[in-house]
Amino acid sequence: MLVDIHNHILPGLDDGPKSIEEAILLATNAVDNGITHIIATPHHNNGKYINSSSIVKEAVNNLNKELSKKDIPVEIFSGQEVYFYNSIVEDLENDLLTLANSGKYLLIELPRNHFPVSTFETLYKILLRGYTPIIVHPERNTVLRKDKQKVYDLVNKGSLVQITASTLLGEHGRNLKKYTIDLIKHNLAHFISSDAHHHVKRPFLLNDAYQYVQKKFTENQVTYFSENAKHVILGTEFQPMLPISFQKNT
Ligand SMILES: [Fe+2]
């Protein structure tokens, strides 16, 4: 069982595949990566796309039907990549989708160019309700990029962090690659996922990323990432490795 928890595989909903044919090609690419379970996470509330839970669920059903017709051995589950906004907490019970609809993990994207002052407070409220926020690709937020200690603070206060396979593999430059490696070294990365959008331009790359982790770190580290992703699909809790601060005295 290999799970990808962040990708844009559903056709026509966002900047992912434009057609069902493109979605099938992307699913085939996932299978080539050994992936068996895909949590589809279309953009939601990011200023460009709104994908309510009913829209996502219908698209997931349609794609699963097409995949089983074509005997492509991968199953799609519903989710959203929720762009951060202050009233996330109020929408948790009705409008927002947890990953794999398990009622536990919520995928959250922070703005690119700033770190909202309400971030910690909002995440705290989400945690109080019994949900676990997963912050996606911190390396794309300019504030977190400059200040890794802020990532430590987020994790220390109960959020989890997902890094992107292509970034770890160096596709977005050496600096960002090093950034994601540093997060792994400080136990501040809990998941690697594809953020796949297109079978050629932004494919899954999960297999390559796991192989890289095995070479650069250990087999145990690969197991940690893949087991954590399994917990997300099951909606079960796990014990994250203790985060290591970037400040020497803490
Ligand atoms: Fe994404």
Side-chain angles (χ1 to χ4, degrees):
M1 179 177 179
L2 189 61
V3 183
D4 188 66
I5 68 160
H6 177 186
N7 58 77
H8 301 262
I9 196 168
L10 299 175
L13 296 192
D14 61 4
D15 51 349
K18 291 187 177 63
S19 62
I20 190 82
E21 290 77 19
E22 278 191 15
I24 298 282
L25 287 170
L26 191 52
T28 307
N29 169 242
V31 173
D32 292 343
N33 272 263
I35 294 165
T36 55
H37 297 67
I38 295 174
I39 306 178
T41 52
H43 291 291
H44 181 55
N45 263 351
N46 71 345
K48 201 166 177 194
Y49 304 106
I50 291 182
N51 283 300
S52 66
S53 55
S54 55
I55 289 173
V56 176
K57 284 177 189 167
E58 194 188 331
V60 166
N61 283 340
N62 289 341
L63 184 54
N64 273 328
K65 273 185 211 152
E66 286 300 315
L67 292 169
S68 74
K69 263 194 236 165
K70 291 187 161 44
D71 278 331
I72 298 170
V74 66
E75 191 175 353
I76 315 291
F77 295 79
S78 53
Q80 288 166 326
E81 179 177 7
V82 181
Y83 192 84
F84 181 88
Y85 61 104
N86 289 337
S87 51
I88 281 184
V89 189
E90 282 109 77
D91 293 340
L92 274 172
E93 307 297 334
N94 37 41
D95 192 40
L96 299 179
L97 266 175
T98 50
L99 295 180
N101 209 11
S102 72
K104 183 71 190 160
Y105 296 96
L106 195 70
L107 208 60
I108 295 179
E109 179 184 27
L110 292 172
R112 279 186 184 225
N113 299 319
H114 71 288
F115 189 87
V117 280
S118 59
T119 303
F120 282 104
E121 189 189 337
T122 302
L123 294 175
Y124 178 67
K125 286 183 188 162
I126 294 171
L127 283 155
L128 274 187
R129 296 275 183 103
Y131 298 89
T132 304
I134 300 176
I135 309 296
V136 302
H137 40 62
E139 69 273 14
R140 281 200 221 160
N141 174 279
T142 49
V143 176
L144 293 178
R145 203 147 67 204
K146 284 198 194 103
D147 184 5
K148 283 181 288 204
Q149 187 64 13
K150 249 197 162 76
V151 182
Y152 171 83
D153 292 339
L154 288 167
V155 172
N156 203 30
K157 292 179 193 307
S159 291
L160 301 174
V161 169
Q162 171 256 311
I163 56 172
T164 307
S166 57
T167 312
L168 181 64
L169 292 168
E171 296 209 348
H172 309 288
R174 279 162 70 179
N175 289 346
L176 290 190
K177 177 186 171 98
K178 185 180 176 308
Y179 182 94
T180 51
I181 288 172
D182 284 347
L183 293 192
I184 297 176
K185 283 182 180 166
H186 284 253
N187 295 338
L188 296 174
H190 306 89
F191 311 96
I192 299 177
S193 60
S194 69
D195 202 1
H197 282 66
H198 185 272
H199 64 287
V200 177
K201 291 179 215 150
R202 289 174 81 177
F204 272 88
L205 294 178
L206 200 59
N207 195 24
D208 287 353
Y210 277 169
Q211 277 183 21
Y212 178 77
V213 171
Q214 188 176 359
K215 257 191 351 210
K216 175 98 186 158
F217 296 90
T218 59
E219 179 67 38
N220 278 352
Q221 188 73 48
V222 176
T223 307
Y224 178 69
F225 287 134
S226 58
E227 288 295 314
N228 292 353
K230 277 190 214 168
H231 281 289
V232 169
I233 213 157
L234 297 169
T236 47
E237 285 191 29
F238 63 92
Q239 189 64 54
M241 289 199 264
L242 216 57
I244 301 166
S245 173
F246 289 95
Q247 291 167 356
K248 293 225 163 77
N249 298 325
T250 49

